[in-house]
Amino acid sequence: MKQRHLQLDHDKRLRHFLTIEGLKRDLLVEILDTAESFTGVSHQQVKKVPLLRGKTVVNLFFEASTRTRTTFELAAKRLSADVLNINVPASATNKGETLLDTLRNLEAMHCDMFIVRHQNSGAAHFIAEHCAPHISVLNAGDGRHAHPTQAMIDMFTIRRHKQEFHNLSVAIVGDIMHSRVARSQIHALSTLGVPDIRVIGPRTLIPANADTLGVHVYHDLSQGLQGVDVIIMLRLQRERMSSALLPSEHEYFRLYGLTKEKLALAKNNVIVMHPGPINRGVEMDSSVADGEHSVILQQVSHGISIRMAVMSMTMGPRGVRHPKHTQQSELKT
Amino acid sequence: MSQGVHIRHGLVVDPANDIHEQRDVFIANGKIISVSQQAPDHFNADTVIDAKGCIVCPGLVDISARLREPGQESKATIDSETQAAVAGGITSICCPPDTHPVIDTPAVANLIHDKANALGRASVYTLGALTHGLDGASLSEMGSLKAVGCVGVSNAYAPLKNNLILRHAMEYAASHDLVVHLHAEDADLRNNGCVHEGQISTRLGLAGNPAAAETVAVGQILALIEQIGVKAHFCRLSTARAVQMIARAQYSGLQVSADVSAHQLHLTDMDIGYFNSHCHVSPPLRSLRDREGLRAGLSKGTINIICSDHQPHEADAKLAPFAITEPGMSGLETLLPLSLRLVNEGIIELMPLIAALTSQPAQLLGINAGTLTAGAPADVCIYDPEHEWQLDSTTLRSRGHNTPMMYWQFLGRVTHTLCRGQIAFQLDSAP
């Protein structure tokens, strides 16, 4: 089946980055290692490496985003690529131009990579299946399906603090149902060997048969946080209240908001993460968001390294696949 | 006698007359003259079809195929789809009312009937709209629709505003002796779901359509039918639980029947893979357990009709992210081969299977078709059960190439189709 290997080329190297699902542990570790080698670039006088010089990267965003788009843009620029930002509001595609038409038009401009965010699950797969063969597609979030670079940022952050994955308990708290980030995190955590992945939330926000993803489901925050090493809080969208999934923000915070008291149930060296932006007083108390266990801002800065890693692995010269021999020597000079 | 056709040496399967043996079929003037060992007196054959090694059965009656005309001729036309139908052995098609404009006036029904008659291939019947413009609120002029030949009424996929409207619509239809064809789906519970709610919807992050969207609606409809005592037909069942509910209702004496689309008997939500939009259908492909329940319902007779649920689309309709593609698959030409697979897999015997494709749907629609009885219109399907073939763009005749079964291998292929005594289809390689 051609679809099964859509993300990989003949040499099993990354061609597109659409979802974590189906990727091998070694490849995820390679992404983390490559990102590690890029962290130095941001601290150089000249914050650039020439790996993607002459390449054109298109940020193709069908859904509003500031942070994700900005870090992708920065990552591309640090790799010396040319960047084109195209925001396609939903209304433009409603005017009759299909997604495929938009794609064909951009292809005609001889771009090398599409970084795609779209409100529909499967959009990045669709684009990868239908675009010209020389183009790489990076999924920057499709519907409720996947947000693989965000998940890898979180894995990177976890690895920096915990070194290993095989002995961790990780809790993901909140709106799992509608979260592409949670789905990608779950795949990444289980591929990297985390033995205990928990999802915590009311039944209205936990998808059907969630256990088949390989997670333990909790509806009680205090129970779910017992002894965990990592807590990932998810953002709660306001519209969950209007669609009768939750009664109020107040009740949500009381039951699922992360406070210092709840945090005390986890391990002493627990880290608290959030893909942002935070609703303070809804998902977590400010004292936790800004507290000693919070690594939220580190996640943001790791965003650039991870995105540089994925871009260079999918699009860079083949030698770049082994960053230890290339970028690192470059960084030392 | 004129225009005599003699189909010889075939194995005749005619469930309506309980025939399952080698006989010859004699046709004249567009009608069946006899099914026997010997030619009737004075019979002159203008055409002789040698059906040695083939099955000769009544032409298939498909109770749900969208021909897209009027209104969506960019997808398909009555002309293109009746060609596909006869290539699939189908000689009678019933077209749901959700055309553009909707079949809620005699004029639209007449337009479809007239076009099909002029083409002279498969007979095309229509279901009238249950409510005006399928608005789910105001009753259509069912009496007039029946007068111009509509063989039932339906609201297609459009929901009814509430159960009171449903009650009134069913009662009014019953006063005109029209069978109501109902898509049992609770629109609120469906909640824009585009795949079965379960492991796959969770994994792919696609909005789930829970099994309860169907079972809740079936439960409500059954309660109403019990109260008001009307006949009803459930269209395109997709859940195992709904089959059980209907079996129980039939056992307790309610006059309810049900059909299933051929693809639901073979595919499950696992076939969606990574967002294969050809598997975007409504009702959605469900779990393996549901598929087994549908198969069991068919073999026990709870479900007595298999249909194609043919929904041809232009290529663009499926070229988008899954949820925003148009649901439905092209099915006329896979109806018979998919059904025959069930015999090969031991789910059902050939005789009841052919009944589910011919006499049973004809009986539901109240049309003179689906049988080889002397005097009936000579609609005949001849297929070679040993012919192996592949579905691909060269074999597919429908304008809709939207099928997840492209490149599937099938056993059993139509060699000839006769519509009212005329050969409407003959396979190139047929003798």
Side-chain angles (χ1 to χ4, degrees):
Chain A
M1 298 272 290
K2 95 182 165 180
Q3 285 178 330
R4 194 175 300 158
H5 302 302
L6 187 60
Q7 300 197 91
L8 303 178
D9 65 14
H10 292 304
D11 303 324
K12 306 247 160 102
R13 290 180 300 196
L14 209 55
R15 201 167 103 65
H16 304 294
F17 193 46
L18 311 172
T19 172
I20 307 277
E21 193 189 353
L23 296 181
K24 292 226 157 59
R25 182 175 177 279
D26 289 351
L27 188 69
L28 300 192
V29 171
E30 189 188 341
I31 293 172
L32 297 178
D33 291 345
T34 310
E36 199 71 60
S37 76
F38 280 129
T39 49
V41 176
S42 299
H43 303 298
Q44 291 176 128
Q45 201 80 43
V46 177
K47 298 183 178 59
K48 275 197 190 234
V49 286
L51 291 170
L52 299 187
R53 190 156 53 198
K55 303 276 188 183
T56 307
V57 172
V58 180
N59 266 325
L60 185 54
F61 277 57
F62 294 86
E63 202 180 65
S65 157
T66 313
R67 253 179 348 161
T68 303
R69 207 207 65 210
T70 312
T71 50
F72 267 114
E73 186 175 349
L74 262 178
K77 285 182 170 164
R78 290 202 176 150
L79 291 167
S80 309
D82 297 317
V83 185
L84 205 62
N85 285 316
I86 299 183
N87 293 318
V88 192
S91 59
T93 42
N94 287 345
K95 280 177 191 160
E97 184 175 70
T98 66
L99 180 52
L100 212 53
D101 287 334
T102 310
L103 205 64
R104 294 280 174 262
N105 275 291
L106 290 170
E107 273 177 10
M109 300 176 200
H110 302 289
C111 303
D112 301 286
M113 173 176 278
F114 291 147
I115 294 161
V116 181
R117 171 169 285 195
H118 197 280
Q119 58 277 16
N120 283 115
S121 300
H125 264 93
F126 173 77
I127 290 174
E129 275 180 323
H130 291 95
C131 68
H134 67 276
I135 295 176
S136 288
V137 178
L138 257 59
N139 186 359
D142 61 327
R144 306 176 186 178
H145 172 237
H147 194 350
T149 55
Q150 180 62 47
M152 290 313 293
I153 291 163
D154 301 336
M155 298 309 112
F156 189 82
T157 310
I158 292 172
R159 194 173 77 164
R160 281 232 156 162
H161 287 270
K162 304 290 176 190
Q163 285 76 46
E164 300 285 346
F165 289 96
H166 65 81
N167 52 0
L168 295 182
S169 284
V170 179
I172 306 174
V173 184
D175 185 0
I176 313 292
M177 168 93 88
H178 301 91
S179 174
R180 53 194 173 209
V181 176
R183 279 177 178 75
S184 286
Q185 284 166 339
I186 291 166
H187 286 305
L189 289 167
S190 56
T191 306
L192 288 167
V194 171
D196 181 20
I197 308 168
R198 310 176 187 183
V199 297
I200 308 171
R203 284 195 60 158
T204 47
L205 298 181
I206 304 285
N209 306 88
D211 55 315
T212 58
L213 295 172
V215 298
H216 301 104
V217 179
Y218 292 81
H219 303 303
D220 183 291
L221 183 63
S222 303
Q223 273 177 24
L225 291 184
Q226 292 287 345
V228 297
D229 302 278
V230 177
I231 303 173
I232 301 173
M233 303 300 293
L234 297 174
R235 181 177 161 77
L236 187 76
Q237 307 283 344
R238 289 266 148 74
E239 64 254 31
R240 304 301 168 232
M241 264 59 79
S242 54
S243 49
L245 292 166
L246 291 175
S248 65
E249 287 183 354
H250 172 253
E251 170 139 320
Y252 183 81
F253 181 69
R254 201 172 65 77
L255 297 176
Y256 297 101
L258 191 60
T259 58
K260 284 209 151 149
E261 295 70 41
K262 298 271 172 60
L263 191 60
L265 298 165
K267 289 220 178 97
N268 286 334
N269 60 348
V270 66
I271 57 169
V272 176
M273 304 175 34
H274 190 297
I278 310 170
N279 290 314
R280 286 167 187 262
V282 179
E283 295 120 32
M284 65 172 82
D285 201 81
S286 282
S287 66
V288 176
D290 306 326
E292 53 176 334
H293 296 283
S294 168
V295 296
I296 296 168
L297 285 177
Q298 293 173 32
Q299 288 174 267
V300 180
S301 55
H302 296 156
I304 297 166
S305 313
I306 282 287
R307 282 158 184 154
M308 285 171 78
V310 176
M311 282 182 192
S312 64
M313 285 170 67
T314 47
M315 198 170 46
R318 289 311 184 193
V320 187
R321 305 283 169 180
H322 307 288
K324 278 166 192 141
H325 305 299
T326 51
Q327 289 98 354
Q328 284 201 335
S329 56
E330 200 170 330
L331 297 179
K332 278 172 197 154
T333 55
Chain B
M1 283 194 209
S2 64
Q3 301 195 353
V5 182
H6 177 191
I7 304 169
R8 64 180 189 192
H9 305 322
L11 178 66
V12 173
V13 178
D14 181 17
N17 294 300
D18 203 24
I19 298 173
H20 187 181
E21 62 182 20
Q22 191 170 325
R23 289 195 193 177
D24 287 7
V25 178
F26 300 95
I27 294 164
N29 296 325
K31 291 194 162 41
I32 305 283
I33 299 297
S34 74
V35 176
S36 56
Q37 314 286 8
Q38 292 211 325
D41 295 342
H42 314 299
F43 183 82
N44 264 329
D46 302 290
T47 311
V48 177
I49 298 172
D50 186 4
K52 195 162 191 294
C54 291
I55 306 276
V56 179
C57 66
L60 274 46
V61 179
D62 186 0
I63 65 162
S64 185
R66 284 170 172 79
L67 309 179
R68 303 300 190 194
E69 194 176 348
Q72 290 182 297
E73 289 84 352
S74 62
K75 293 183 187 293
T77 60
I78 294 173
D79 187 7
S80 69
E81 300 318 286
T82 50
Q83 286 184 51
V86 293
I90 298 163
T91 54
S92 300
I93 300 168
C94 183
C95 167
D98 52 354
T99 46
H100 301 281
V102 166
I103 308 176
D104 61 355
T105 58
V108 182
N110 283 334
L111 172 84
I112 295 169
H113 299 155
D114 291 349
K115 282 216 168 184
N117 285 340
L119 290 164
R121 285 190 286 263
S123 305
V124 176
Y125 299 88
T126 50
L127 292 183
L130 189 63
T131 57
H132 184 73
L134 300 177
D135 67 358
S138 49
L139 299 188
S140 69
E141 295 177 357
M142 295 181 219
S144 319
L145 292 169
K146 174 155 190 179
V148 295
C150 287
V151 291
V153 281
S154 163
N155 221 50
Y157 290 118
L160 292 163
K161 284 267 176 339
N162 56 52
N163 281 325
L164 183 63
I165 307 259
L166 175 60
R167 176 191 175 156
H168 289 160
M170 288 201 294
E171 286 178 325
Y172 190 78
S175 17
H176 294 283
D177 213 15
L178 281 164
V179 176
V180 184
H181 295 232
L182 293 162
H183 279 272
E185 184 172 75
D186 185 299
D188 295 323
L189 282 174
R190 176 191 177 148
N191 195 20
N192 294 320
C194 59
V195 295
H196 174 61
E197 181 182 299
Q199 189 178 349
I200 302 295
S201 67
T202 293
R203 189 171 66 83
L204 296 178
L206 290 167
N209 174 336
E214 178 166 294
T215 53
V216 163
V218 168
Q220 289 189 343
I221 294 166
L222 287 175
L224 264 177
I225 290 171
E226 196 171 12
Q227 169 80 38
I228 59 182
V230 295
K231 274 190 203 172
H233 178 76
F234 288 97
C235 304
R236 314 315 93 76
L237 289 188
S238 68
T239 64
R241 186 86 188 99
V243 176
Q244 291 170 357
M245 293 165 80
I246 289 166
R248 206 174 305 144
Q250 288 170 339
Y251 181 73
S252 62
L254 300 194
Q255 294 188 61
V256 291
S257 55
D259 72 70
V260 63
S261 55
H263 61 253
Q264 287 281 8
L265 294 166
H266 293 276
L267 302 174
T268 67
D269 59 351
M270 298 289 285
D271 290 295
I272 293 166
Y274 281 104
F275 305 102
N276 180 357
S277 61
H278 288 310
C279 290
H280 184 195
V281 289
S282 179
L285 299 176
R286 296 201 182 270
S287 67
L288 192 60
R289 204 185 127 266
D290 288 307
R291 192 194 73 172
E292 296 312 303
L294 294 170
R295 287 177 161 203
L298 178 71
S299 68
K300 288 180 190 148
T302 309
I303 295 174
N304 66 337
I305 294 168
I306 307 173
C307 70
S308 72
D309 196 16
H310 179 66
Q311 298 187 33
H313 287 295
E314 75 282 19
D316 280 351
K318 291 288 186 184
L319 284 175
F322 191 94
I324 52 175
T325 56
E326 294 182 56
M329 67 174 76
S330 184
L332 287 171
E333 290 152 272
T334 46
L335 174 61
L336 181 64
L338 281 178
S339 300
L340 291 173
R341 268 195 182 195
L342 300 169
V343 178
N344 294 334
E345 291 180 29
I347 308 299
I348 187 171
E349 298 284 319
L350 183 61
M351 191 78 142
L353 177 87
I354 297 295
L357 293 167
T358 60
S359 53
Q360 298 280 4
Q363 195 186 343
L364 176 76
L365 302 179
I367 59 175
N368 189 11
T371 169
L372 300 179
T373 307
D379 293 343
V380 185
C381 164
I382 305 172
Y383 71 90
D384 177 356
E386 302 300 327
H387 187 133
E388 281 183 65
W389 62 289
Q390 175 177 281
L391 185 75
D392 56 37
S393 55
T394 61
T395 51
L396 198 62
R397 283 166 174 84
S398 167
R399 280 261 293 279
H401 281 207
N402 51 305
T403 167
M405 292 161 213
M406 210 52 117
Y407 307 115
W408 280 32
Q409 303 290 324
F410 290 107
L411 189 60
R413 189 164 189 197
V414 174
T415 60
H416 299 79
T417 303
L418 279 72
C419 294
R420 294 175 299 283
Q422 304 285 333
I423 296 178
F425 170 76
Q426 183 169 358
L427 191 65
D428 296 338
S429 56

